[in-house]
Amino acid sequence: YIFCEMDKEQRGIYDAYKKKIREDLLSRLKKDGAGKSQMMILQGLTKLRQICDSPELLNDEQSYGNDSIKIKKLLEHIEEKTANHKILVFSQFTGMLKLIEQSLKKDQVTYEYLDGSRTSKQRQESVKNFQDNDDCRVFLISIKAGGTGLNLTEADYVYIVDPWWNPAVENQAIDRCYRIGQTKKVIAYRIICKDTIEEKIMKLQESKKKIASDII
């Protein structure tokens, strides 16, 4: 795990949103009950998860800036800590991948990109370039688009930018490296913002893993 401490600006936005969401939810629950409030709960949790990535992902009329401790940490690892290793970067949010893409372009880091909008041909071309081109070190992939059908054995570092409720989905993404032909040790990191909804998601993941283990 890479645990991040949000900067003052990002933390302020997160805390303000958390307070507002809690107040709105309590009011809605009192009025309509839990059954009719599920969509509102899910939307609130999604907004908090987006803020952990970057407040810029919020689809509000107000601008919250692009302060993101996760992008700073990720770029630090890509440019300073992983030498010439090849890296897969997964996110639930294509908007977050686009923000990371902007930073990679700015720092002149060669990369490939894949989300659900890419055609089968584009997908194959991106995989081939990443596998065969020594200069292409980073592959940005949406977790839904990259869960199956990708053979990326050149990568030996994986970064999960935002935790998902179901750990099996993350593990499936990490397994893109563990195909036949992988000869290197694979290192996987999950990037987590401290004191946020993401730590709650981690606890939920652990309980799901325990349930699965108990069943087995």
Side-chain angles (χ1 to χ4, degrees):
Y1 290 102
I2 299 172
F3 288 98
C4 302
E5 200 78 66
M6 285 193 282
D7 296 340
K8 186 178 179 181
E9 184 180 351
Q10 192 176 2
R11 169 58 67 183
I13 295 166
Y14 182 90
D15 288 345
Y17 250 88
K18 184 174 73 171
K19 184 182 177 186
K20 184 179 186 303
I21 289 166
R22 181 186 285 136
E23 289 171 353
D24 290 348
L25 269 177
L26 287 172
S27 174
R28 179 71 178 267
L29 287 166
K30 192 174 179 181
K31 181 184 173 187
D32 298 331
K36 294 183 178 179
S37 305
Q38 289 181 357
M39 184 56 69
M40 187 179 184
I41 292 168
L42 187 60
Q43 288 171 344
L45 293 174
T46 299
K47 281 187 180 292
L48 292 178
R49 292 179 63 231
Q50 288 174 324
I51 295 167
C52 288
D53 275 357
S54 172
E56 196 169 347
L57 297 183
L58 292 171
N59 292 322
D60 293 359
E61 293 179 7
Q62 185 176 342
S63 174
Y64 294 98
N66 59 358
D67 194 31
S68 172
I69 188 62
K70 286 192 179 188
I71 294 178
K72 291 174 187 173
K73 282 285 183 186
L74 180 62
L75 267 289
E76 180 185 311
H77 273 247
I78 290 171
E79 297 177 18
E80 299 174 21
K81 297 189 176 182
T82 52
N84 294 318
H85 293 270
K86 293 211 172 200
I87 298 160
L88 306 183
V89 178
F90 289 95
S91 176
Q92 326 292 328
F93 303 109
T94 54
M96 184 59 169
L97 293 176
K98 296 288 187 184
L99 293 179
I100 297 168
E101 181 180 33
Q102 290 172 18
S103 296
L104 292 176
K105 281 180 179 177
K106 184 181 174 185
D107 292 358
Q108 298 182 321
V109 176
T110 306
Y111 67 92
E112 275 295 343
Y113 180 96
L114 175 65
D115 64 25
S117 68
R118 298 294 162 106
T119 64
S120 177
K121 184 182 178 185
Q122 288 173 323
R123 186 182 176 103
Q124 290 171 6
E125 288 172 350
S126 291
V127 170
K128 188 176 189 309
N129 185 47
F130 180 76
Q131 289 283 97
D132 299 343
N133 181 357
D134 290 340
D135 293 329
C136 183
R137 287 188 53 229
V138 182
F139 204 151
L140 306 177
I141 309 172
S142 73
I143 213 153
K144 289 180 181 177
T148 55
L150 292 179
N151 188 0
L152 299 166
T153 51
E154 286 301 307
D156 53 350
Y157 276 81
V158 181
Y159 290 84
I160 306 288
V161 175
D162 28 61
W164 187 235
W165 306 103
N166 185 353
V169 175
E170 292 182 5
N171 292 334
Q172 194 178 48
I174 293 167
D175 283 348
R176 295 313 96 211
C177 300
Y178 286 108
R179 315 322 286 167
I180 294 168
Q182 175 59 276
T183 58
K184 302 180 284 290
K185 180 182 177 183
V186 175
I187 299 171
Y189 289 103
R190 290 170 172 84
I191 307 177
I192 305 292
C193 280
K194 289 182 182 177
D195 302 317
T196 68
I197 185 69
E198 294 190 328
E199 289 191 335
K200 300 278 176 67
I201 294 173
M202 282 172 52
K203 288 178 182 175
L204 182 66
Q205 285 185 350
E206 288 303 318
S207 68
K208 285 193 174 188
K209 285 176 188 172
K210 186 177 185 306
I211 290 168
S213 176
D214 288 348
I215 290 169
I216 291 164

